[in-house]
Amino acid sequence: MKILLTGFKAFLGEKINPSEILCQSFPDLQSLVLPVEFSRAYEVLKLHLLQNKYDYVLMLGQAAGRNKVSLEKIALNWVQSQHTDESGYKPESKKINESKPLALMSQFPIDDVYTKVKIKNPNIQISFSAGTYVCNELYFQVCSEFEDLKAVFVHVPLIKEQISAENMRPYLELNEQKEILSEILKSLN
């Protein structure tokens, strides 16, 4: 079975991104770190997917404000942000692809994976919004153009190293996030 893990570089003033650390924490699997840039993140991943065949693709991204690992069930055909991406680009609020439906569901076995992993670790949830930033745009593009690919977007919380007394936010220890991701991967066998 061939699995690809992707993560993102640090962004919006953060020094690290747990999705980048996590995607590189499984040396037996291929990993790809993506730029936090609208359109470009997908262009990099699309080129990789056209050159390689995978049974599963798990796209990881940081979600400040969450305290559980989130399996994203829906990719929205919408982009909207108050923040620029790492290239300085800020998109206007609009559909990602005018010819596609407002939302797409992943072919990844989210419900089955969630059920198996939740038994071992309660710090996992199903989410119905991957947001409207680069993460969601990437997810929507993959679901739209690679319709039969079992791909899922997985939002991960901040880690303790990103928390300070001046900036208290929800987090989940990196080791626990690794354990959850490991259980997700085991559930695919």
Side-chain angles (χ1 to χ4, degrees):
M1 181 169 39
K2 206 166 168 194
I3 298 173
L4 173 67
L5 294 175
T6 73
F8 283 105
K9 297 177 180 178
F11 68 108
L12 295 178
E14 296 286 347
K15 292 183 174 44
I16 56 176
N17 188 327
S19 73
E20 178 178 13
I21 297 166
L22 286 166
C23 88
Q24 296 174 332
S25 296
F26 294 84
D28 294 342
L29 303 179
Q30 282 201 300
S31 66
L32 182 65
V33 178
L34 302 170
V36 184
E37 295 180 37
F38 290 99
S39 300
R40 187 158 177 276
Y42 177 63
E43 290 168 9
V44 172
L45 179 54
K46 179 180 179 179
L47 182 62
H48 189 84
L49 292 176
L50 291 172
Q51 294 171 347
N52 300 277
K53 176 132 177 74
Y54 294 99
D55 297 297
Y56 296 98
V57 176
L58 283 76
M59 299 167 279
L60 310 177
Q62 170 185 291
R66 297 193 192 184
N67 62 357
K68 293 184 177 186
V69 171
S70 303
L71 300 170
E72 300 295 350
K73 194 150 188 170
I74 296 171
L76 296 175
N77 186 3
W78 193 257
V79 64
Q80 184 171 340
S81 180
Q82 300 301 314
H83 304 285
T84 61
D85 66 11
E86 292 305 293
S87 72
Y89 173 71
K90 181 179 166 189
E92 62 182 74
S93 298
K94 64 177 183 172
K95 274 184 139 184
I96 297 166
N97 185 326
E98 285 293 333
S99 67
K100 296 289 182 177
L102 189 56
L104 295 173
M105 293 188 74
S106 169
Q107 296 301 310
F108 190 87
I110 292 171
D111 293 323
D112 291 341
V113 168
Y114 169 76
T115 300
K116 290 174 185 173
V117 176
K118 180 84 173 167
I119 293 167
K120 300 196 177 206
N121 194 312
N123 288 314
I124 188 168
Q125 66 186 3
I126 292 177
S127 169
F128 294 94
S129 176
T132 55
Y133 193 58
V134 176
C135 297
N136 177 73
E137 185 193 49
L138 176 71
Y139 194 24
F140 182 83
Q141 295 279 37
V142 169
C143 288
S144 177
E145 290 194 44
F146 294 88
E147 294 175 5
D148 296 328
L149 182 62
K150 290 183 178 90
V152 67
F153 200 92
V154 181
H155 266 124
V156 297
L158 300 177
I159 55 177
K160 191 174 187 178
E161 292 78 3
Q162 294 174 283
I163 307 304
S164 66
E166 304 81 40
N167 194 5
M168 290 301 294
R169 301 174 285 177
Y171 72 92
L172 188 63
E173 295 281 1
L174 181 63
N175 282 341
E176 187 162 1
Q177 292 190 38
K178 282 181 188 174
E179 287 172 18
I180 292 169
L181 188 53
S182 180
E183 291 300 330
I184 290 170
L185 293 167
K186 283 181 199 169
S187 76
L188 300 176
N189 291 331

